[in-house]
Amino acid sequence: MTRKIYPLLVALDLYDPSSRVPSLRGCVTDIESIELYLRSQVADGDWELVEPRVLKNEQATREGVITGFQEFLCQATENDVALFYYAGHGAQERAPKVFLPLEPDGMNETLVCYDSRTTTGRDLADKELRYLINQVAKRNPHILVLMDCCHSGGGTREVAEGTRQGPADDRVRPLESYLFAQDQAFLQGLDGAGASLSEGRHVVLSACRDYQLAKECRGADGKAHGAFSYYLLETLQRAHGKMTYRELIRNLNALVSSKQRDQSPLIYATHGEDLSLSFLGGAASSEVSDAFALTYSDRDSTWFIDGGAVHGVPKPAGEQTTMLAVMSVDVPAEEARSLSHAMARVKVSRVMGNRSQVAVTEGENQLDKGASYRAIVTSTPLRPLMVFFKGEEAGVELIRSTFATAGPEGQPSLQLKEADQAFGADITLLCRDGQFWFVNPVDDLPLVGPVPSVAQDSSYTQRAAEQAIARLEHMARWQTVLDLASPARSQI
């Protein structure tokens, strides 16, 4: 079935002259670039791109953005994609007392529209954006929100040149001025002690964390861009869009943080499983669980992967260390386990908390220090997780054959080893009624939920077997984290 993409693209380089909001330089360029990218994605006929609604500068009023949601994005239905892309100033405004349980500092985070800071204008508050997303979500499309703007964690921070942070709005804003003021169903969550507002299902990618600034940069085309937008598009184009959200944010974060000081893009999904979808909500791809993003740090003059001790990367033990094959991010995820695509090899030389320093052992002249790469684990000094397979014969045969080819080059998984008996195994994989259960080897009590979580019938599927192996490998990495210990003199 052909899927429709409904893009609402908002860019603000200029604001109403009476508002005295600082101008920006690269927002319109960012929106034009993403529009070109979207148009190129429909060339293969898999997508139907509904003519984008593009709001630039004076068109991007508060009412214009709201109407874009209500009249345009709300047309998207199940199997469609509703995309909201905002490039402009992000700021804060004073919130009414009713929102204090949600905002202890008394400030909303906001998007600054063209007329937001005029005498009668208002920003689009984060709660209003949530309300609009909630309306779009009623017809169950995949909703993706991309925001290249600042989300300041403190209202006193000064506006910095070359960033997308607008000045805070110190006007006291009454509840009746909010878009949802008369919608009691939406507001009812504020009555309880655990105050909340209903939230439609969506994925959001933000340029930075709430205490950081979204910076602008100059691209290879000589034009000004938002650093987030520029590197997001570069990553997508090189990967031909075939990256899961989880893989995309890892590569994007590694690339932006290596080029811009104190800026780390952030991802949030109301439903965690959506992070395994490909960009723009395609079907779940064959994710490479042992893949890391490899980037060069100009500041440290060395290469790093975005995995460290908290991700289960072990410290080198003598001559034994983790080895990785390096390949371009445009190699599809489902082909990444074939090491024939490797252009270089690296080994872990130093493991830190959330990243690791690596040394290039082969193919250094093939690597561009300005690019990001995919690094696939090919060997590890870890003790593998011992798994005992038992249960219905059909399930055991399928999981055993899947396990045997789960590693690079069709080899067995690097992090798992089959045990010949339950005694001494770390975990038992029990095959029962079309599901794979992860149980304690001693008493067969479940440790986590099964795969699939709900059995459609009693048959076993290849996809479920692959998911079960991936979950076991995830457990193996967590076992490494559990084995971590603070030094005796640690203050932790």
Side-chain angles (χ1 to χ4, degrees), residues 290-310:
D290 290 332
F292 295 102
L294 174 73
T295 52
Y296 187 82
S297 170
D298 293 324
R299 184 168 60 245
D300 300 297
S301 300
T302 190
W303 292 90
F304 288 93
I305 58 170
D306 66 337
V310 297

Side-chain angles (χ1 to χ4, degrees), residues 300-339:
D300 300 297
S301 300
T302 190
W303 292 90
F304 288 93
I305 58 170
D306 66 337
V310 297
H311 304 103
V313 178
K315 292 183 178 181
E319 295 298 318
Q320 298 294 315
T321 189
T322 302
M323 307 294 293
L324 304 99
V326 181
M327 55 192 71
S328 174
V329 294
D330 60 6
V331 175
E334 59 270 19
E335 299 178 20
R337 287 196 178 278
S338 173
L339 301 187

Side-chain angles (χ1 to χ4, degrees), residues 96-321:
K97 291 183 179 179
V98 68
F99 292 142
L100 286 181
L102 302 175
E103 304 288 0
D105 64 353
M107 304 292 285
N108 292 322
E109 292 175 350
T110 66
L111 304 182
V112 186
C113 302
Y114 180 77
D115 57 348
S116 285
R117 300 304 174 84
T118 58
T119 305
T120 57
R122 291 289 184 184
D123 290 3
L124 187 68
D126 51 356
K127 295 155 192 64
E128 293 177 302
L129 182 59
R130 177 180 291 194
Y131 179 67
L132 291 169
I133 291 172
N134 209 40
Q135 291 182 316
V136 177
K138 290 178 180 179
R139 301 183 74 180
N140 201 33
H142 175 71
I143 302 174
L144 174 60
V145 177
L146 300 170
M147 294 196 292
D148 196 346
C149 60
C150 292
H151 295 272
S152 174
T156 60
R157 183 177 293 161
E158 304 230 345
V159 181
E161 184 177 357
T163 68
R164 295 182 174 179
Q165 181 190 4
D169 189 344
D170 290 328
R171 293 176 292 179
V172 177
R173 185 171 180 182
L175 180 61
E176 55 268 23
S177 70
Y178 286 83
L179 181 61
F180 48 78
Q182 304 305 315
D183 192 332
Q184 294 304 314
F186 184 74
L187 287 169
Q188 65 183 0
L190 293 175
D191 295 336
S196 64
L197 296 171
S198 59
E199 191 170 22
R201 184 170 186 163
H202 68 283
V203 176
V204 58
L205 273 164
S206 299
C208 59
R209 301 176 188 276
D210 59 2
Y211 54 85
Q212 296 177 324
L213 300 176
K215 300 180 177 67
E216 295 190 325
C217 67
R218 187 165 299 280
D221 56 3
K223 298 179 181 179
H225 296 266
F228 168 80
S229 294
Y230 183 76
Y231 292 115
L232 169 66
L233 203 55
E234 182 178 282
T235 302
L236 290 172
Q237 287 171 332
R238 295 182 63 206
H240 305 295
K242 298 184 182 300
M243 301 180 88
T244 65
Y245 286 117
R246 184 177 287 109
E247 193 173 16
L248 174 62
I249 192 61
R250 290 171 64 181
N251 280 273
L252 180 60
N253 209 327
L255 197 55
V256 172
S257 60
S258 69
K259 307 299 180 184
Q260 301 288 336
R261 185 179 294 273
D262 297 327
Q263 181 174 346
S264 302
L266 188 66
I267 193 167
Y268 165 74
T270 54
H271 294 63
E273 59 267 30
D274 288 350
L275 295 179
S276 294
L277 297 176
S278 60
F279 184 70
L280 288 177
S285 67
S286 302
E287 209 175 345
V288 184
S289 59
D290 290 332
F292 295 102
L294 174 73
T295 52
Y296 187 82
S297 170
D298 293 324
R299 184 168 60 245
D300 300 297
S301 300
T302 190
W303 292 90
F304 288 93
I305 58 170
D306 66 337
V310 297
H311 304 103
V313 178
K315 292 183 178 181
E319 295 298 318
Q320 298 294 315
T321 189

Side-chain angles (χ1 to χ4, degrees), residues 29 39 82 85 102 121 221 268 306 335 341 356 434 458:
T29 302
R39 292 188 185 280
Y85 201 125
L102 302 175
D221 56 3
Y268 165 74
D306 66 337
E335 299 178 20
H341 295 292
S356 298
S458 59

